[in-house]
Amino acid sequence: MFKFRFFIIFMFFVISLANASEKKLVYIVSDIRIPFWEIMSKGVKNKAKKFSYDVEVYSSSNSAKIELQNTIKAIKKNVDGIIVSPTNSSACVTILKLAKEAKIPVIILDIGTDSGEYISYISSDNKKGAYNIGKVLVKKMQELGYENGSVAIVAIPQKRLNGQQRTRGFLKALNEAGIKGADLKQQITWTQEETYSYTKEFILKYPNLRAVWLQGSDRYQGALDAINELDKQKEVLLITFDAEPEFIKLIQDETLVGSAMQQPFLMGQEAVNQFYNYFNNKKVKKNIQMPILAISKDNIEDNLLIIKRNVLGIKELK
């Protein structure tokens, strides 16, 4: 009798694993060349491996046309689920419409949608994260006596919900301190040259400029190059959103005042967790907001482990 029960339990376990391995997911990401998205894809693949799910990553190269092609490709493969980080919130509406017609469930990662049906939306608390990093900048400007100076923004597209939230949160922190916003320019080409050009233009156009905030991280060197070329290292501060591996040292030596760090590896893992719940008839959380770390020289040492794991996707912590 004991052997029979053991056999039944064993077969149930084997069948469960077989069913899990049959699940196929596709992650449609706006642009895998941007480190933030590449790290998020690592989180997706890491958790998918744990559940024995097959997962493919389709990069849209920041093109809505390619994104649509990727969506059609995923639907034709009859995948069990789609995870999407859309190029913008309006483009996501079409993705959700096509997936609904194909009866494929969708989980949205980070950018959001203007409308449509999805099973879960996993994002960062962009408004609060931007507000908190704004407070870090305000504190630094006050320490240096820069309260009467202004701040310019190199922004991600403001058609994106996350871009709008970042701008609102950051400006709220400045307004509370009576610090003026100088200008805002949106990224179009997402190149280092573009960030360099915007930063240089800000510095030359606004003599009282005391800081530049990048709403992303991957083109930070362009801003630093402009600041260094115009010999403004001691006059114009640089602060960012998101993070690159080099930021640990750059924040420690105060080349960067700080950065609002999302946790893309953790977010990618959570998307697959929610699909696991969905496939196994467990409760799926409709909206999940991950906290954003406001990191500066004052707290970076205390947060190094979580930065390396959840922000930068470094699995082995030394």
Side-chain angles (χ1 to χ4, degrees), residues 1 16 30 71 81 175 183 202 238 264:
M1 186 68 177
S16 297
S30 59
T71 303
N175 291 336
D183 204 343
F202 289 150
L238 183 62

Side-chain angles (χ1 to χ4, degrees), residues 77-139:
K77 285 196 170 187
N78 196 31
V79 297
D80 296 287
I82 293 174
I83 301 170
V84 60
S85 297
T87 52
N88 59 62
S89 305
S90 59
C92 192
V93 177
T94 302
I95 296 170
L96 295 177
K97 180 177 181 293
L98 293 173
K100 181 182 178 181
E101 291 172 354
K103 297 182 180 180
I104 297 175
V106 178
I107 288 178
I108 304 173
L109 264 179
D110 190 54
I111 290 174
T113 184
D114 288 341
S115 63
E117 295 181 21
Y118 52 89
I119 65 170
S120 184
Y121 172 36
I122 300 164
S123 63
S124 297
D125 193 341
N126 282 278
K127 186 174 180 180
K128 185 175 180 180
Y131 175 77
N132 287 338
I133 203 63
K135 296 283 282 186
V136 169
L137 178 62
V138 165
K139 179 183 176 183

Side-chain angles (χ1 to χ4, degrees), residues 113-219:
T113 184
D114 288 341
S115 63
E117 295 181 21
Y118 52 89
I119 65 170
S120 184
Y121 172 36
I122 300 164
S123 63
S124 297
D125 193 341
N126 282 278
K127 186 174 180 180
K128 185 175 180 180
Y131 175 77
N132 287 338
I133 203 63
K135 296 283 282 186
V136 169
L137 178 62
V138 165
K139 179 183 176 183
K140 189 65 176 179
M141 291 178 71
Q142 290 172 340
E143 288 175 359
L144 297 172
Y146 288 174
E147 300 97 319
N148 294 324
S150 61
V151 180
I153 302 172
V154 177
I156 63 175
Q158 296 298 286
K159 285 185 177 181
R160 294 181 176 182
L161 294 178
N162 60 340
Q164 297 167 19
Q165 292 164 352
R166 289 179 196 181
T167 299
R168 291 186 189 127
F170 187 75
L171 291 180
K172 181 184 178 187
L174 297 188
N175 291 336
E176 287 177 354
I179 295 174
K180 296 179 180 179
D183 204 343
L184 179 150
K185 287 188 174 294
Q186 301 179 58
Q187 290 179 299
I188 299 172
T189 62
W190 300 83
T191 61
Q192 184 167 307
E193 292 76 14
E194 181 182 60
T195 302
Y196 165 83
S197 177
Y198 285 167
T199 305
K200 187 173 181 179
E201 181 180 339
F202 289 150
I203 294 172
L204 295 175
K205 188 175 181 179
Y206 303 101
N208 203 32
L209 188 74
R210 287 293 174 263
V212 174
W213 179 45
L214 306 184
Q215 285 191 351
S217 65
D218 61 304
R219 302 303 181 221

